[in-house]
Amino acid sequence: MGYDPANPMADRITDIGPPHYEQFFPPVVKNNYGKWLYHEILQPGVLMHKAENGDECYTVRIGAARLISIELIREMCDVADIHCDGYLRWTTRNNVEFMVDSKAKVQPLLDDLKSRGNRMPVGGTGASVSNCVHTQGWVHCHTPATDASGVVKAVMDELFDYFTSHKLPAQVRLALACCLNMCGAVHASDIAILGVHRKPPMIDHDAITGLCELPLAISACPLGAVKPATAKNSAGEDVKSVKVNAERCMFCGNCYTMCPAMPLADPDGDGIAILVGGKVSNSRTMPSFSKLVIPFLPNTPPRWPETVAAVKNILETYANDARKYERVGEWAARIGWEKFFEKTGIPFTIKSIDDYRLAYDTWRTTTQFKFTSHIK
Amino acid sequence: MPTIEHNGSSFTVDEDGFLTGNMDAWNETWVDYVKTVEGITEMTDEHHKVIEILRDYYKKNGIAPMVRILSKTTGFPLKRIYELFPSGPGKGACKMAGLPKPTGCV
């Protein structure tokens, strides 16, 4: 029966969870589950997994925009129907993978993907720049300081060669978050793009009393800059409100998340910060957080040329200088961050010096450093 | 801001149907109206107990109670609260009690 608004609990199905993943395994994966011997990357975007019994599974990875229409999903389903018996999967970076069980089926699949224009570019394996993990931006969120899809498209257009090739020292993970909620992977990515504000919130004294739970807005502030206060609304009446100490505010926007009457988005103030050097794997070195290297780049839709140039500069400097297997953060740690700034030509600013609570540990407590000369 | 007319009273609400004024805009007519949109067939003493505790807590503390505090003070486990308010303590009970719309990453 269809949903009956007058009786919403009738025939209601709930708590059934996602369908079990095994239902959607291609036969070659189901038969060899837990019995894989080794894998090879045959070419950028194409993997081969060998099973104990000699079975082979060929995987073709394509880039996807993450925000996609049902038409595109149906087109991907068509590809899966034609070549893969109707099976496909999405990766944790929102690429799409088509799997076939014999080498003879790989080339027709690649040819088909190529014939579909640039909607399904093959790549993203090995020492490449795979897909950029990103967020909602101006498409759907209410707290962003920049856009997500637009910036990602501009950056990936410029780095497209690195998606379809293996010419980097190691994989480079890109991530974008449109505010410092950092939904996604910004805090632990090789190169991260982060939307930031530069102005304190405006307070709507007319609406704040009815709209906000004031103690939540006050406790949302990491710096104690928000305090309860009595304010005058536009009708001249005293209302319960808050006041923001602008000297203490670092424009994180947490109070706006909790209280809709404290908006802070600003077209000139908002922009992008670049962080580098994070990773999540345990290979060679421990996982690490990304560090801020460029405090602000303006929002310049639709192509964000400053951000694109900054990301490309960091990536290419790293590609030219790092050793094999070295991630961006490992490279920067080996040569020293002062050398990172010198080689990339990024001006070091006071904004990169940590001043939040546990900041002391990030300062240099040694005489070991290299003389660098790039700061004029 | 849209307004809602119900049984001769008028309420200013946001797009999700939460009262936007301060706590004074709330009255029994509002409870009766929310009942019709939240899939509640009959108001029981238990419903009124939850609403009363939410309103008391809000007036005293300026925030809606944590779910665990609501359970502890009413004596209703979360499951029972969902039986009373199918949309849950936030969208259902807080809306009916005239509290501000829950915020944050929900």
Side-chain angles (χ1 to χ4, degrees), chain A residues 284-305:
Chain A
R284 300 169 305 278
T285 56
M286 287 194 294
S288 61
F289 285 128
S290 337
K291 295 175 170 58
L292 183 117
V293 294
I294 303 179
F296 184 79
L297 296 165
N299 267 333
T300 39
R303 298 301 295 180
W304 280 270

Side-chain angles (χ1 to χ4, degrees), chain A residues 81-353:
Chain A
D81 281 336
I82 296 167
H83 300 277
C84 318
D85 302 320
Y87 295 97
L88 80 166
R89 67 183 290 271
W90 263 256
T91 72
T92 54
R93 300 194 82 79
N94 303 302
N95 294 306
V96 181
E97 289 184 348
F98 297 105
M99 289 147 291
V100 292
D101 53 12
S102 82
K103 188 156 195 178
K105 295 179 182 171
V106 174
Q107 199 53 48
L109 171 57
L110 289 173
D111 293 342
D112 185 348
L113 293 171
K114 197 164 190 180
S115 75
R116 290 167 192 268
N118 235 344
R119 287 205 293 291
M120 303 193 185
V122 175
T125 54
S128 68
V129 175
S130 189
N131 216 346
C132 180
V133 169
H134 67 279
T135 56
Q136 309 243 24
W138 297 331
V139 170
H140 196 74
C141 191
H142 71 297
T143 64
T146 187
D147 190 28
S149 303
V151 185
V152 167
K153 167 69 174 155
V155 169
M156 291 308 286
D157 275 352
E158 190 67 25
L159 304 183
F160 188 68
D161 273 355
Y162 293 97
F163 181 82
T164 55
S165 67
H166 290 161
K167 51 189 175 188
L168 294 168
Q171 73 267 46
V172 172
R173 299 292 187 229
L174 295 188
L176 177 146
C178 45
C179 81
L180 40 62
N181 257 5
M182 293 195 182
C183 304
V186 159
H187 64 298
S189 289
D190 291 292
I191 303 176
I193 304 162
L194 178 66
V196 290
H197 302 286
R198 293 187 302 170
K199 294 186 181 177
M202 298 161 279
I203 303 169
D204 181 354
H205 295 299
D206 284 348
I208 194 164
T209 317
L211 223 47
C212 303
E213 303 169 59
L214 299 179
L216 295 188
I218 293 157
S219 58
C221 184
L223 292 174
V226 183
K227 289 220 156 54
T230 305
K232 289 242 188 287
N233 66 10
S234 54
E237 300 155 348
D238 280 345
V239 291
K240 278 189 192 170
S241 184
V242 295
K243 71 166 179 250
V244 174
N245 180 353
E247 290 288 301
R248 287 192 75 84
C249 179
M250 61 175 176
F251 331 120
C252 69
N254 280 354
C255 52
Y256 177 58
T257 301
M258 297 315 293
C259 174
M262 301 176 74
L264 77 164
D266 179 275
D268 300 317
D270 295 355
I272 282 171
I274 305 284
L275 293 76
V276 306
K279 75 187 197 77
V280 291
S281 82
N282 282 289
S283 49
R284 300 169 305 278
T285 56
M286 287 194 294
S288 61
F289 285 128
S290 337
K291 295 175 170 58
L292 183 117
V293 294
I294 303 179
F296 184 79
L297 296 165
N299 267 333
T300 39
R303 298 301 295 180
W304 280 270
E306 299 87 354
T307 301
V308 171
V311 171
K312 192 173 188 193
N313 169 39
I314 293 168
L315 183 79
E316 296 194 329
T317 310
Y318 154 79
N320 290 332
D321 198 61
R323 294 174 184 162
K324 194 166 166 61
Y325 304 125
E326 214 168 35
R327 298 284 292 268
V328 173
E330 295 167 337
W331 164 65
R334 173 172 62 80
I335 64 175
W337 283 94
E338 65 270 39
K339 279 286 180 190
F340 169 91
F341 281 95
E342 186 178 62
K343 281 177 194 270
T344 55
I346 297 171
F348 182 84
T349 68
I350 194 169
K351 304 288 183 196
S352 281
I353 301 172

